[in-house]
């Protein structure tokens, strides 16, 4: 019986798949060769999760893999109508990034509350300027996105003494629905975007939403760049509708050197690194190998994405 074919959409460094030696035939593709090699693959590992090659190649001719796994939490980079309508199972890397991203959000909250960016600027200028900083305990946060990442953020912020409200697609115990969002935003000191990018969430943080927030509020996006109207955010900061913001994700990545976002006052820009801690690629590789072994034995896969909704249901 021939070995199954695993096609890897490559990125450097490559995944460690040694445990699968002799059990699967591994082939490799890049953006230029993916369309030609898709018909021969039983499984596709989207290791280059920044690429849109799957979305572009999937509508072509020939058979398609029975299972697609992306080494990322989001799936918006690969979904297209043809994939959504197919019988192919799509899974994601749910669980790998939850705690690192939660810690990163907490670091941003503390950095903004304690005015650390300005402290570093003044140090480089050899300027001694005493200021008062803000106490984090007792402040209020709204976390938009009730999946594992959002819940991890809530847990870490609660540990800092922050009163938190979690907003999800549907209301349930411990989770507010979208209809409560504006009311919660109006009282929040911290607003954290951690939702998946879908038709319903694209551009949800626009001029109106920034206008609802308090002038003292600060906004953090670690979800997807498309959740935010970047021009509206820049205007809100320039006009001091809100006090500050931090963006780790952008519509276009890398953020071009000529982007006006680099110079927006009170905005922290980071290069999509909130979930990337030492050893994260090894964790992603191990997760995929364990999932492949389940697939090989015919067992149900975890982290199965609802292709219509664009995320793993049940949260």
């Amino acid at each position: 019986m021939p070995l199954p074919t695993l096609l890897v959409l490559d990125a450097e460094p490559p995944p460690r798949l040694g445990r699968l030696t002799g059990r699967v035939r591994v082939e490799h593709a890049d953006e230029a060769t993916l369309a030609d090699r898709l018909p021969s693959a039983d499984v596709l590992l989207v290791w280059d999760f920044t690429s849109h090659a799957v979305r572009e190649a999937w509508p072509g001719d020939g058979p398609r893999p029975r299972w697609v796994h992306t080494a990322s939490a989001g799936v918006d980079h690969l979904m297209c109508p043809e994939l959504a309508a197919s019988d192919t199972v799509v899974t994601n890397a749910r669980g790998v990034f939850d705690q690192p991203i939660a810690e990163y959000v907490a670091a941003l909250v503390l950095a903004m509350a304690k005015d650390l960016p300005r402290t570093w600027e003044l140090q480089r200028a050899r300027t001694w300027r005493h200021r008062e900083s803000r106490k984090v305990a007792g402040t209020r946060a709204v976390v938009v996105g009730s999946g594992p990442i959002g819940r991890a953020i809530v847990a870490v912020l609660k540990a800092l003494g922050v009163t938190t409200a979690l907003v999800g697609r549907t209301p349930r115990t411990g989770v507010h629905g979208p209809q409560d969002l504006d009311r919660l935003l109006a009282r929040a000191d911290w607003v954290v975007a951690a939702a998946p990018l879908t038709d319903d969430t694209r551009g949800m943080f626009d001029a109106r939403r920034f206008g609802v927030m308090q002038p003292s509020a600060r906004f953090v996006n670690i979800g997807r760049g498309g959740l935010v109207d970047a021009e509206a955010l820049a205007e809100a900061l320039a006009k001091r509708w809100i006090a500050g913001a931090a963006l780790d994700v952008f519509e276009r990545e890398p953020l071009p050197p000529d982007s006006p976002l680099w110079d927006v006052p009170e905005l922290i820009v980071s290069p999509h690194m909130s979930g990337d801690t030492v050893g994260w690629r090894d964790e992603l590789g191990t997760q995929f190998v364990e999932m492949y072994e389940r697939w090989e034995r015919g067992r149900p896969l975890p982290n199965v994405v609802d292709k219509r909704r664009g995320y793993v249901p049940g949260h």
Side-chain angles (χ1 to χ4, degrees), residues 99-176:
Q99 186 63 24
I101 290 178
E103 293 174 1
Y104 197 87
V105 169
L108 289 170
V109 166
L110 289 169
M112 289 189 280
K114 305 307 177 184
D115 201 24
L116 293 184
R118 189 163 286 104
T119 294
W120 293 326
E121 291 173 3
L122 292 170
Q123 178 182 341
R124 288 194 294 269
R126 298 174 181 266
T127 300
W128 182 279
R129 184 181 301 162
H130 181 269
R131 287 109 59 221
E132 294 179 346
S133 65
R134 189 173 187 181
K135 185 170 68 173
V136 171
T139 59
R140 297 173 180 269
V142 174
V143 179
V144 182
S146 59
I149 292 173
R151 294 198 299 270
I153 292 168
V154 166
V156 172
L157 291 181
K158 282 185 175 179
L160 295 175
V162 179
T163 300
T164 61
L166 186 61
V167 178
R169 183 173 181 266
T170 54
R172 54 200 180 278
T173 303
V175 180
H176 294 269

Side-chain angles (χ1 to χ4, degrees), residues 185-208:
L185 290 180
R187 303 177 63 196
D189 300 292
W190 313 98
V191 178
V192 183
L197 182 61
T198 67
D199 291 341
D200 292 333
T201 62
R202 183 176 295 279
M204 67 181 301
F205 290 100
D206 55 12
R208 188 188 68 79

Side-chain angles (χ1 to χ4, degrees), residues 19-20 23 289-297:
R19 268 170 55 182
L20 301 182
R23 297 154 59 185
V289 168
E290 291 174 352
M291 292 176 72
Y292 183 88
E293 290 173 340
R294 291 178 64 94
W295 181 82
E296 186 180 47
R297 295 193 295 270

Side-chain angles (χ1 to χ4, degrees), residues 9 28-37 51 53 56-57:
L9 180 59
H28 299 271
D30 56 21
E31 292 188 355
T33 60
L34 180 64
D36 290 337
R37 297 184 179 178
S51 171
E56 295 163 3

Side-chain angles (χ1 to χ4, degrees), residues 5-8 10 26-44 57 61 63-65:
T5 297
L6 167 61
L7 182 63
V8 181
D10 280 329
V26 179
E27 296 184 356
H28 299 271
D30 56 21
E31 292 188 355
T33 60
L34 180 64
D36 290 337
R37 297 184 179 178
L38 270 179
S40 64
D42 297 291
V43 179
L44 172 64
D61 297 327
R64 290 294 180 260

